[in-house]
Amino acid sequence: MIPKTHRRVVLARRPPAEPAESDFRVEEVPVPEPGPRQLLVRVVYLSLDPYMRGRMRDAASYAAPVGIGEVMTGGTVGEVVKSNHPDYKAGDIVEDRLGWQEYAVAPGPALRKVDASIAPISTANGVLGMPGMTAYFGLFEVGQPKAGETVVVSAASGAVGQVVGQLAKIAGCRAVGIAGGAKKCAFVKDTLGFDACIDYKAEKDLTAAVKAACPSGVDVYFDNVGGTVSDAVLANLNFYARIALCGSISQYNTADPGPRLMGTFVGKRVTARGFIVWDFNAKYGPALRQMGEWIRSGRLKFREDIVEGIDKAPRAFIGLLRGENFGKLQVKLGPDPGAR
Ligand SMILES: NC(=O)c1ccc[n+]([C@@H]2O[C@H](COP(=O)([O-])OP(=O)(O)OC[C@H]3O[C@@H](n4cnc5c(N)ncnc54)[C@H](OP(=O)(O)O)[C@@H]3O)[C@@H](O)[C@H]2O)c1
């Protein structure tokens, strides 16, 4: 039964540094009615991602900021509960960017139908969604790994990082992760099968730790964090190394990123390339099919970190920027029809 009202989370104000729960507001509003060729979707899983910190800032970026009082932006997996579009019926599972809310009206053609027989439907927000595609294209198209090379990835236990290292192994490379804490490192090494994982919170000399874990130097660096972790990797780059500049989460709450070691790239002829996952939109189809096969065959593993209830979203998002999540962070807003 469709309720009369539902909850949503809006941006209440722009945080100058680390966000607080009071920067968000939970509102109860009427459930909207879909118009012609539109659908009403009940959101089951809301994806929480680091890029959302950028949307809270009123600054020029590759995407527009969320306005004050507007629903926070976010990827979603949901169930169609009412359809006025011939291509969709009630019960279909769909992936879209419907934001931090329990119900939303969506225009039919923008939605991707999710095949619940491949993997749990939450993976459409994770390994078989935006973060998985980020890993796939960032590594293969930007990093250009060759068998026998060494690939280092930071935030290695996270949504993107956990996939990058496993794909590097599939490509025949040595995969070295960097993550915060012994538990995350044990998961990266023992469960995901990386060759090594460095706990950046425990190491006194991170540059030496990277050198020890990468005896032949670093050929590809998949950079998720920036800051001092990346400096330690940059100091160990080989000639003609490639850097996939994916994100710099260590800097998202600060205004001053400080000096970096990019000057050393010159002598070593390093290629560094920034990318946004949607640069590769046109190639998603084959990539998703390939990743789905690797999941079905057990070659690609994934870990999700799921909290329950839309009111928990602000706190969980703040934790993501502190490294408190362990795997792809999502919020479960209601019953999962794929798990029935
Ligand atoms: N370019 C693109 O199109 C694209 C697309 C998706 C994601 N990204 C970027 O990819 C990166 C990873 O995103 P994700 O979704 O996979 O998130 P995630 O890794 O699941 O979660 C974020 C992780 O970052 C680490 N972290 C947080 N603060 C840190 C700090 N100060 N220093 C070092 N590490 C820190 C934490 O892990 P530890 O406990 O291990 O520190 C935390 O768990 C982010 O920078 C994100 O912006 C880019």
Side-chain angles (χ1 to χ4, degrees):
M1 225 193 48
I2 301 167
K4 288 208 157 29
T5 61
H6 76 121
R7 290 177 300 170
R8 63 186 193 183
V9 178
V10 300
L11 181 63
R13 59 176 187 222
R14 301 192 188 282
E18 185 181 40
E21 285 191 64
S22 52
D23 297 325
F24 303 89
R25 190 172 60 245
V26 182
E27 296 179 338
E28 182 138 7
V29 294
V31 170
E33 192 57 41
R37 297 184 72 78
Q38 289 185 332
L39 319 163
L40 179 66
V41 177
R42 176 179 71 82
V43 176
V44 181
Y45 292 105
L46 162 68
S47 179
L48 293 181
D49 298 271
Y51 74 80
M52 293 165 175
R53 180 65 187 88
R55 303 290 194 280
M56 298 173 78
R57 203 170 274 129
D58 193 10
S61 165
Y62 59 88
V66 176
I68 299 296
E70 281 179 10
V71 175
M72 281 291 295
T73 186
T76 52
V77 177
E79 179 183 25
V80 176
V81 288
K82 210 180 217 183
S83 174
N84 294 333
H85 194 285
D87 296 345
Y88 298 83
K89 58 179 186 327
D92 282 349
I93 304 297
V94 289
E95 184 258 344
D96 198 0
R97 307 180 54 75
L98 300 177
W100 298 26
Q101 51 190 343
E102 291 175 318
Y103 284 83
V105 161
L111 300 154
R112 168 168 74 107
K113 281 193 193 175
V114 174
D115 181 352
S117 70
I118 296 175
I121 63 169
S122 55
T123 57
N125 275 338
V127 61
L128 292 178
M130 184 277 283
M133 293 296 92
T134 304
Y136 187 97
F137 293 112
L139 182 67
F140 292 135
E141 300 259 350
V142 182
Q144 305 270 329
K146 290 165 201 68
E149 289 189 330
T150 297
V151 174
V152 175
V153 57
S154 45
S157 75
V160 175
Q162 60 177 264
V163 182
V164 171
Q166 294 183 82
L167 297 185
K169 289 303 296 175
I170 289 172
C173 297
R174 176 174 174 79
V176 176
I178 302 177
K183 254 195 197 161
K184 287 185 175 179
C185 279
F187 166 73
V188 165
K189 234 179 133 256
D190 304 338
T191 305
L192 301 181
F194 286 39
D195 296 287
C197 186
I198 300 163
D199 176 359
Y200 73 92
K201 289 183 175 165
E203 292 292 344
K204 282 203 182 69
D205 184 344
L206 199 51
T207 304
V210 174
K211 190 172 185 183
C214 306
S216 308
V218 178
D219 300 296
V220 179
Y221 176 41
F222 195 108
D223 185 8
N224 281 323
V225 305
T228 53
V229 167
S230 290
D231 281 353
V233 183
L234 303 189
N236 284 288
L237 290 177
N238 286 333
F239 274 80
Y240 303 104
R242 285 83 65 201
I243 300 177
L245 286 174
C246 179
S248 50
I249 191 167
S250 71
Q251 311 301 309
Y252 290 177
N253 284 333
T254 64
D256 175 22
R260 301 274 75 101
L261 292 178
M262 298 295 196
T264 62
F265 296 0
V266 180
K268 287 185 177 167
R269 283 76 155 173
V270 170
T271 299
R273 177 178 159 195
F275 71 99
I276 301 296
V277 61
W278 65 55
D279 301 344
F280 304 99
N281 268 353
K283 298 179 174 177
Y284 268 39
L288 282 171
R289 274 193 293 281
Q290 173 68 86
M291 298 269 281
E293 270 168 38
W294 282 331
I295 286 181
R296 261 199 300 254
S297 68
R299 231 174 150 192
L300 183 59
K301 300 187 176 68
F302 62 92
R303 180 181 173 120
E304 301 183 329
D305 184 345
I306 297 181
V307 299
E308 299 222 2
I310 194 163
D311 50 316
K312 302 286 191 319
R315 178 67 199 79
F317 177 64
I318 294 163
L320 175 76
L321 299 170
R322 291 180 183 166
E324 289 169 8
N325 66 305
F326 190 172
K328 172 67 195 115
L329 182 62
Q330 313 208 32
V331 187
K332 189 175 180 199
L333 305 191
D336 176 346
R340 264 176 214 152

